[in-house]
């Protein structure tokens, strides 16, 4: 029982972090048709920038400054990069963002080095929030939940209640119609791209000290975020939210389940002996398969339902 | 006609090159050169087979290394079986068997992935690539975990009585297979399948109208490219006698993409050029600099923005002008580009090296040696010179490039007339 409760909480924290990343990506993807491979790199950049900024002005100002810097970087990428390759088609755009991954990765290594950064939870948030069956729930995770909930609310209000939000929503489903109505769609694109990068940067700020701030963090996060976006479906923030939380739960629960297929078969009288490939496949515990699950999910959903969980159109 | 001569020269050069650097005093070959040439051979196969997808069928795949790697693992296990005498196959056909392993896996994954195209295809292949890379670390039986699987290539079963104890014999085996695979891939582009792959790339709806199923075309192309990648993987296994999960992980897939794209996806020979160039950079520049991947990355991005046809595409674009005998009038505009480009390049190299030295290099306790002299990283002067040269070169190049563009447009219009 206690494992389940703690895992639910942890899964929720991780899921919300994923949502912060994935929501920006899904907005960019559904609107511009560009799958931004560099999204997780912006997340990493957010964490590194937050580390550097927080050394000078403290964590809470960095919480605001670093995402804004990431947003500006995003705008620059859109204006000087993506827009130039746009007329060469989607593959060129994909290739462009793919190349960015390399460059950002190396730039980060060049600027901050190869070793993990000492980016820590601020002391004012470094205490146990409550104790659950003898296990501490750190206040920082509560803070993460708070930030991501605030961000969710903020994005929702922006999209539903403001004029720019209405235009963005319209451009999500009918980009050509929106431009026919006289809106400056390229500028909307830049705004959305910058906004998405801002959210990724924010996720980096609060995720950087939750996980570790090191040059490999983009590589480990990137594929998972794609899985979430694809799974949630294009043009649907709600689907994206559900997919993020589901993914967070799967990842945390898979770690704590120490059973394998062989354990399931044992009560049925099937005993596995020997050392063959089949026995190995059957005796691997779920905890180790956990890393595989997201990709199995992605391949399956793209195969059977390419529009994802709640998507409005095919990927 | 001319390109046939070029190919012949290339093959003769590849055969002769090890002997130019033969150490007559010690009666041995230059090991570094041989291993670099061998690596080039495999990478040529990898890049060419990748271009069957990206260039010829317009499919952006992110799991190409999966088939390369599976070919490698298959070859390792086959070699081990052959070494104990369980498998009566000679060494020379091992790459073919590895290719068949790649083909089998590509048929399996291709059936899933080629249902989609464009972005969804890229995503599904990303999933497959990550799936296989994760699985390789998980299942020790076939993949050997992080340590990989090792073998011994001296199985004493050869069609020509060779032992493959020396690097030269292995290199010639690689060269033979690379040539064979490249020729096959070239003739594949001339078959109806190759032509239909181009058609579905350019306009898949129209291809559908004519009565072809684009999915079948994509599937066949995908499966065959997996076959060739598997051959490359088999050669990898024979050369290094060890295959670890690096052979099927994402960085190698990315490498295949970089080689094919930088070389040029629109020309058949482009990826060959790219593979040779990137391997040279990899083994040459990586000895001198920690940050060679920055250069490759920037080169790639610059290519995507400014020259989407790649290096071979740039060369090809000169064709009509050369045909009209007007290459001479391009000489001066080209020369005018040289100085600003050099300024930009050197400034950029200076900045990258200084910056990376501050963090990575200093941690390794080395001294920064740049352009032949030792340089103090903390002084202002090298930074200022690099930055100045970078900015000045950039601005100047922008100005000159505009002029060059005008000349080029005029000349092209003239030639067309």
């Amino acid at each position: 029982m206690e494992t389940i409760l703690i895992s639910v909480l942890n899964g929720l924290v991780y899921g919300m972090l994923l949502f912060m990343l994935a929501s920006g990506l899904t907005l960019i993807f559904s609107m511009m048709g560009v799958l931004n491979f560099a999204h997780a790199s912006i997340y990493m950049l957010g964490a590194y920038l937050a580390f550097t900024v927080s050394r000078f002005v403290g964590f809470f100002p960095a919480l605001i400054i670093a995402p804004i810097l990431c947003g500006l970087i995003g705008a620059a990428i859109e204006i000087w990069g993506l827009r130039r390759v746009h007329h060469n088609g989607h593959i060129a755009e994909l290739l462009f963002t793919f190349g960015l991954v390399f460059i950002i990765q190396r730039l980060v290594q060049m600027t901050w080095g190869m070793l993990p950064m000492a980016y820590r939870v601020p002391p004012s948030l470094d205490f146990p929030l409550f104790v659950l069956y003898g296990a501490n729930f750190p206040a920082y995770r509560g803070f993460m939940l708070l930030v991501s909930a605030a961000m969710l609310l903020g994005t929702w209000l922006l999209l539903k209640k403001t004029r720019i939000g209405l235009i963005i929503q319209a451009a999500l489903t009918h980009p050509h119609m929106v431009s026919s109505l006289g809106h400056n769609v390229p500028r909307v694109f830049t705004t959305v791209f910058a906004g998405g990068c801002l959210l990724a940067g924010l996720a980096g700020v609060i995720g950087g000290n939750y996980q570790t701030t090191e040059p490999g963090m983009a590589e480990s996060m990137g594929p998972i975020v794609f899985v979430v976006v694809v799974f949630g479906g294009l043009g649907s923030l709600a689907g994206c939210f559900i997919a993020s939380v589901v993914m967070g739960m799967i990842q945390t629960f898979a770690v704590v389940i120490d059973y394998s297929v062989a354990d399931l078969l044992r009560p049925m009288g099937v005993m596995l002996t020997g050392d063959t490939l089949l026995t190995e496949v059957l005796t691997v515990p779920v905890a180790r398969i956990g890393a595989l699950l997201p990709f199995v999910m992605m391949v399956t959903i793209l195969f059977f339902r390419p529009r994802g969980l709640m998507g409005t159109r095919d990927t | 006609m001319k390109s046939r001569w070029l190919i012949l020269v290339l093959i003769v050069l590849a055969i002769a090159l090890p002997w130019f650097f033969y150490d007559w005093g010690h009666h041995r070959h230059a090991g570094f050169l041989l291993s670099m040439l061998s690596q080039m051979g495999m990478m040529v196969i990898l890049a060419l087979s990748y271009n069957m997808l990206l260039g010829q069928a317009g499919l952006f795949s992110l799991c190409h290394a999966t088939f390369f790697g599976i070919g490698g693992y298959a070859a390792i296990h086959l070699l081990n079986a052959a070494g104990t005498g369980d498998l009566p196959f000679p060494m020379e056909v091992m790459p073919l068997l590895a290719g068949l392993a790649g083909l089998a896996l590509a048929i399996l994954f291709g059936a899933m992935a080629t249902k989609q195209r464009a972005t969804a295809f890229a995503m599904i292949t990303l999933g497959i690539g990550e799936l296989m890379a994760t699985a390789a670390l998980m299942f020790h039986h076939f993949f050997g975990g992080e340590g990989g699987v090792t073998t011994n290539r001296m199985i004493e079963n050869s069609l020509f009585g060779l032992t493959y104890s020396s690097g030269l014999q292995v290199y010639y085996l690689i060269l033979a297979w690379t040539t064979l695979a490249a020729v096959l891939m070239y003739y594949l582009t001339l078959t109806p399948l190759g032509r239909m792959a181009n058609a579905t790339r350019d306009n898949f709806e129209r291809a559908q109208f004519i009565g072809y199923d684009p999915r079948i075309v994509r599937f066949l192309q995908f499966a065959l490219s997996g076959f060739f990648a598997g051959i490359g993987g088999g050669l990898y296994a024979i050369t290094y006698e060890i295959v670890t999960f690096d052979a099927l992980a994402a960085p190698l897939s990315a490498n295949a993409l970089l080689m094919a794209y930088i070389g040029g996806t629109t020309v058949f020979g482009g990826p060959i050029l790219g593979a040779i160039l990137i391997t040279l950079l990899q083994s040459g520049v990586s000895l001198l600099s920690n940050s060679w991947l920055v250069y490759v990355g920037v080169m790639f991005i610059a290519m995507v923005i400014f020259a989407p046809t790649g290096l071979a595409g740039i060369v090809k674009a000169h064709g009509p002008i050369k045909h009209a005998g007007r290459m001479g009038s391009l000489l001066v505009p080209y020369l005018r580009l040289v100085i600003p480009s050099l300024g930009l390049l050197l400034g950029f190299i200076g900045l990258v090296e200084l910056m990376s030295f501050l963090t990575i290099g200093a941690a390794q306790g080395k001294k920064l040696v740049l352009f032949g002299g030792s340089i103090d990283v903390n002084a202002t002067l090298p930074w200022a010179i690099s930055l100045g040269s970078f900015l000045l070169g950039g601005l100047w190049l922008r100005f000159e490039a505009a002029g060059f563009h005008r000349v080029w447009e005029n000349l092209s219009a003239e030639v067309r007339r």
Side-chain angles (χ1 to χ4, degrees):
Chain A
M1 186 60 212
E2 62 233 55
T3 2
I4 292 178
L5 208 61
I6 290 173
S7 295
V8 164
L9 274 173
N10 283 337
L12 199 63
V13 171
Y14 186 58
M16 288 303 266
L17 185 70
L18 277 180
F19 175 65
M20 222 184 280
L21 263 170
S23 55
L25 188 60
T26 209
L27 277 180
I28 294 170
F29 188 17
S30 4
M31 199 155 150
M32 309 168 64
V34 182
L35 191 72
N36 182 14
F37 276 101
H39 206 70
S41 308
I42 301 285
Y43 161 78
M44 173 166 73
L45 217 51
Y48 273 98
L49 284 174
F51 164 70
T52 306
V53 173
S54 66
R55 270 175 41 190
F56 295 107
V57 290
F59 175 74
F60 292 100
L63 190 63
I64 296 169
I65 296 171
I68 290 177
L69 287 176
C70 286
L72 289 177
I73 292 170
I77 291 173
E78 209 280 332
I79 292 171
W80 285 304
L82 271 180
R83 211 175 272 186
R84 299 189 74 142
V85 298
H86 184 72
H87 59 268
N88 290 336
H90 278 331
I91 297 285
E93 289 171 328
L94 278 181
L95 290 169
F96 174 76
T97 59
F98 193 75
L100 274 185
V101 176
F102 269 85
I103 295 185
I104 295 178
Q105 172 91 16
R106 295 294 143 178
L107 278 180
V108 162
Q109 286 183 1
M110 270 160 52
T111 328
W112 284 281
M114 315 277 272
L115 300 172
M117 293 286 107
Y119 178 36
R120 292 193 209 299
V121 173
S124 54
L125 286 170
D126 198 10
F127 60 92
L129 193 63
F130 52 83
V131 178
L132 202 73
Y133 299 108
N136 286 335
F137 187 74
Y140 190 70
R141 290 190 190 174
F143 174 73
M144 283 173 71
L145 276 181
L146 202 71
V147 171
S148 40
M151 175 243 117
L152 180 62
L153 193 71
T155 317
W156 187 78
L157 282 178
L158 184 80
L159 284 179
K160 296 279 175 191
K161 300 287 172 196
T162 64
R163 191 182 155 74
I164 180 84
L166 286 178
I167 298 171
I168 290 175
Q169 263 191 316
L172 275 180
T173 47
H174 303 88
H176 296 295
M177 194 64 217
V178 173
S179 75
S180 306
L181 284 173
H183 293 286
N184 187 352
V185 172
R187 200 164 72 204
V188 179
F189 279 3
T190 312
T191 317
V192 169
F193 200 88
C197 290
L198 190 138
L199 289 183
L202 183 65
V205 179
I206 63 168
N209 43 12
Y210 167 67
Q211 296 174 316
T212 33
T213 305
E214 38 113 15
M217 67 192 287
E219 225 167 288
S220 60
M221 204 64 166
I224 308 280
V225 179
F226 291 139
V227 175
V228 168
V229 168
V230 168
F231 202 78
L234 267 191
S236 160
L237 276 176
C240 176
F241 180 71
I242 295 172
S244 310
V245 174
V246 167
M247 190 63 61
M249 295 292 170
I250 287 177
Q251 294 256 302
T252 40
F253 270 97
V255 176
V256 292
I257 303 172
D258 199 22
Y259 295 105
S260 64
V261 182
D263 294 323
L264 258 174
L265 293 175
R266 199 163 295 131
M268 294 181 230
V270 183
M271 291 301 276
L272 291 166
T273 47
D275 187 30
T276 61
L277 188 62
L278 185 67
T279 32
E280 197 186 1
V281 171
L282 292 181
T283 50
V284 166
V286 175
R288 275 177 60 200
I289 290 191
L292 273 180
L293 281 179
F295 306 115
V296 175
M297 279 167 65
M298 173 150 93
V299 173
T300 328
I301 200 142
L302 276 170
F303 185 64
F304 290 110
R305 196 181 151 80
R307 62 181 47 191
L309 211 54
M310 297 178 70
T312 46
R313 59 179 192 265
D314 279 5
T315 303
Chain B
M1 253 339 263
K2 243 183 194 165
S3 58
R4 277 196 195 162
W5 283 108
L6 188 72
I7 291 163
L8 213 60
V9 167
L10 209 68
I11 293 174
V12 169
L13 194 70
I15 293 173
L17 208 55
W19 297 98
F20 291 152
F21 295 89
Y22 189 75
D23 186 352
W24 294 103
H26 296 90
H27 293 288
R28 64 166 179 233
H29 283 278
F32 178 74
L33 181 81
L34 269 183
S35 65
M36 192 174 81
L37 286 175
S38 303
Q39 176 81 12
M40 262 178 206
M42 296 165 218
M43 290 301 130
V44 164
I45 297 186
L46 183 70
L48 276 176
S49 63
Y50 186 78
N51 200 37
M52 285 177 68
L53 300 174
L54 183 69
Q56 288 156 26
L59 294 169
F60 178 24
S61 164
L62 284 161
C63 69
H64 204 61
T66 301
F67 309 116
F68 184 87
I70 213 72
Y73 279 111
I76 287 271
H77 288 297
L78 290 172
L79 277 174
N80 280 339
T84 53
D86 296 336
L87 200 72
F89 286 117
M91 184 69 155
E92 285 78 11
V93 301
M94 286 299 172
L96 180 69
L97 298 177
L100 291 178
L103 178 69
L105 198 70
I107 286 174
L108 176 71
F109 286 147
M112 293 190 230
T114 54
K115 199 179 160 192
Q116 313 292 346
R117 48 180 284 277
T119 311
F121 176 83
M123 294 278 48
I124 206 164
T125 53
L126 176 80
I128 289 169
E130 293 290 327
L131 193 69
M132 285 302 286
T134 324
L137 285 176
M138 206 171 285
F139 301 113
H140 292 251
H141 233 275
F142 186 74
F143 298 108
E146 286 191 18
V149 198
T150 55
T151 187
N152 182 2
R153 69 175 167 233
M154 284 179 261
I155 55 171
E156 285 168 11
N157 187 354
S158 162
L159 287 177
F160 310 110
L162 298 170
T163 57
Y164 294 103
S165 52
S166 75
L168 189 72
Q169 289 176 355
V170 176
Y171 169 62
Y172 282 146
L173 180 72
I174 289 175
L175 188 61
W177 269 104
T178 306
T179 315
L180 185 63
V183 167
L184 282 177
M185 277 188 265
Y186 176 70
Y187 280 109
L188 210 59
T189 61
L190 306 179
T191 60
L193 173 68
R195 296 299 187 197
M196 279 322 291
N198 292 352
T200 54
R201 170 197 66 192
D202 294 335
N203 192 336
F204 81 105
E205 274 164 342
R206 205 182 275 184
Q208 251 169 336
F209 275 157
I210 314 171
Y212 282 91
D213 184 355
R215 186 180 169 188
I216 301 288
V217 175
R218 284 198 296 267
F219 172 70
L220 290 175
Q221 195 78 1
F222 190 86
L224 286 172
S225 98
F227 170 69
F228 287 112
I231 293 181
L235 294 172
Y236 178 94
I238 291 168
T239 315
Y240 298 112
E241 297 181 300
I242 180 171
V243 173
T244 62
F245 99 111
D246 288 327
L248 49 68
L252 191 67
S253 296
N255 231 1
L257 165 70
L258 290 178
M259 290 184 299
Y261 197 86
I262 289 177
T265 53
T266 50
V267 183
F268 179 79
I272 302 180
L273 185 66
I276 292 174
L277 187 75
I278 297 281
T279 316
L280 270 178
L281 270 176
Q282 205 164 6
S283 30
V285 182
S286 69
L287 293 179
L288 303 173
S289 163
N290 289 315
S291 34
W292 76 276
L293 267 172
V294 183
Y295 302 123
V296 177
V298 169
M299 192 155 85
F300 177 68
I301 289 263
M303 284 283 185
V304 173
I305 296 179
F306 298 110
T309 51
L311 290 177
I314 295 175
V315 174
K316 197 184 167 194
H318 287 82
I321 295 174
K322 188 163 179 265
H323 194 71
R326 296 296 306 274
M327 282 299 267
S329 42
L330 274 178
L331 190 66
V332 176
Y334 262 124
L335 284 178
R336 285 179 62 172
L337 287 180
V338 168
I339 297 171
S341 331
L342 269 182
L344 184 74
L345 194 70
L346 292 181
F348 179 71
I349 292 176
L351 281 179
V352 167
E353 290 305 319
L354 282 170
M355 210 160 132
S356 72
F357 195 80
L358 269 185
T359 50
I360 303 166
Q364 293 171 350
K366 290 185 198 155
K367 270 188 100 86
L368 179 64
V369 179
L370 211 58
F371 307 123
S374 184
I375 285 170
D376 179 15
V377 226
N378 293 317
T380 343
L381 192 66
W383 286 88
I385 292 177
S386 304
L387 194 67
S389 150
F390 178 67
L391 290 179
L392 214 70
L395 286 175
W396 192 4
L397 186 65
R398 221 179 147 151
F399 174 72
E400 287 291 343
F404 181 78
H405 190 69
R406 260 196 311 280
V407 173
W408 176 268
E409 289 293 312
N410 289 341
L411 207 60
S412 303
E414 209 175 294
V415 166
R416 240 177 276 132
R417 231 182 287 127

